[in-house]
Amino acid sequence: MKRIFYIFACVFAIAFNGNAQEKTKVVVNGLRVCEFYSREQMYEALGGVPDKIEKSEEFVGEEWFYYGKDVFYWYSNAPYANEKGIYNYFGGCQIYTDRYVIFDSIRVGDPIEKLKTVPGITENHPRKYKDGKCVGGGYIIWYQSEELRKDYIWVTFYYDESAQKIDWIHVFFNNV
């Protein structure tokens, strides 16, 4: 009986933890970072065939999809496939335009105050220089949780200090 209770408790804990993390995963235009997508699914979510595609010289299987200034990372070398047999996954992006939405609500050009509506942990890094240029600006790093902070997914929102608006967004998956 104890064994059955223990197994039930473990299954419940795993399910609860998975559901909690599922709610706060990083989503860009409907695509979840680190989830498996075919090339066609990526194109559909991002607005069609990219303007340009580059293959990484450093990482085998990494491709960069350019939509104007915006860049999306797609990896075709995952060590395992999802239930549909897809080995390709969305690994992050750099967004410079308001064409794409992150967390279903945040875009380039939005006020940085809007980041307070996103569950997770944020760190603000204002930066100001004088003689070395860059007077103003800064960035806010968002982490899903303290546990995933060091080696998982994080999002950096770069902003203009005077306007307090997001200039560009970098979504990064540390797959090392």
Side-chain angles (χ1 to χ4, degrees), residues 95-98 100 102-103 105-118 137-140 155-170:
I95 302 172
Y96 299 93
T97 67
D98 64 358
Y100 302 98
I102 184 165
F103 301 124
S105 63
I106 309 289
R107 294 180 185 273
V108 168
D110 284 344
I112 59 173
E113 280 293 309
K114 200 170 181 183
L115 295 175
K116 290 180 180 178
T117 64
V118 180
Y139 59 97
I140 296 172
V155 183
T156 306
F157 296 90
Y158 295 88
Y159 63 89
D160 177 279
E161 183 87 39
S162 59
Q164 295 288 294
K165 293 190 186 251
I166 299 169
D167 284 335
W168 66 285
I169 304 167
H170 185 203

Side-chain angles (χ1 to χ4, degrees), residues 26-111:
V26 179
V27 179
V28 180
N29 256 44
L31 298 169
R32 292 180 186 272
V33 176
C34 299
E35 292 290 323
F36 295 90
Y37 298 102
S38 67
R39 184 181 297 273
E40 292 74 24
Q41 289 171 314
M42 290 286 293
Y43 291 173
E44 184 179 328
L46 299 174
V49 176
D51 301 329
K52 177 172 90 170
I53 300 173
E54 284 185 5
K55 292 185 184 233
S56 171
E57 293 178 15
E58 187 175 353
F59 301 105
V60 176
E62 180 179 344
E63 293 184 32
W64 303 330
F65 298 163
Y66 287 87
Y67 291 86
K69 294 180 188 181
D70 305 315
V71 184
F72 296 85
Y73 312 124
W74 184 71
Y75 299 87
S76 60
N77 61 345
Y80 54 89
N82 70 357
E83 67 279 353
K84 295 179 183 173
I86 297 175
Y87 284 87
N88 316 309
Y89 66 95
F90 172 39
C93 57
Q94 292 183 46
I95 302 172
Y96 299 93
T97 67
D98 64 358
R99 182 175 177 185
Y100 302 98
V101 64
I102 184 165
F103 301 124
D104 296 324
S105 63
I106 309 289
R107 294 180 185 273
V108 168
D110 284 344

Side-chain angles (χ1 to χ4, degrees), residues 111-169:
I112 59 173
E113 280 293 309
K114 200 170 181 183
L115 295 175
K116 290 180 180 178
T117 64
V118 180
I121 300 167
T122 57
E123 291 179 359
N124 192 358
H125 299 270
R127 55 177 192 213
K128 296 178 183 172
Y129 311 121
K130 259 194 175 172
D131 299 323
K133 295 188 181 177
C134 182
V135 179
Y139 59 97
I140 296 172
I141 301 175
W142 175 91
Y143 304 97
Q144 182 171 324
S145 68
E146 191 62 42
E147 297 81 40
L148 299 176
R149 178 182 195 161
K150 294 184 178 121
D151 59 358
Y152 199 59
I153 300 171
W154 63 88
V155 183
T156 306
F157 296 90
Y158 295 88
Y159 63 89
D160 177 279
E161 183 87 39
S162 59
Q164 295 288 294
K165 293 190 186 251
I166 299 169
D167 284 335
W168 66 285
I169 304 167

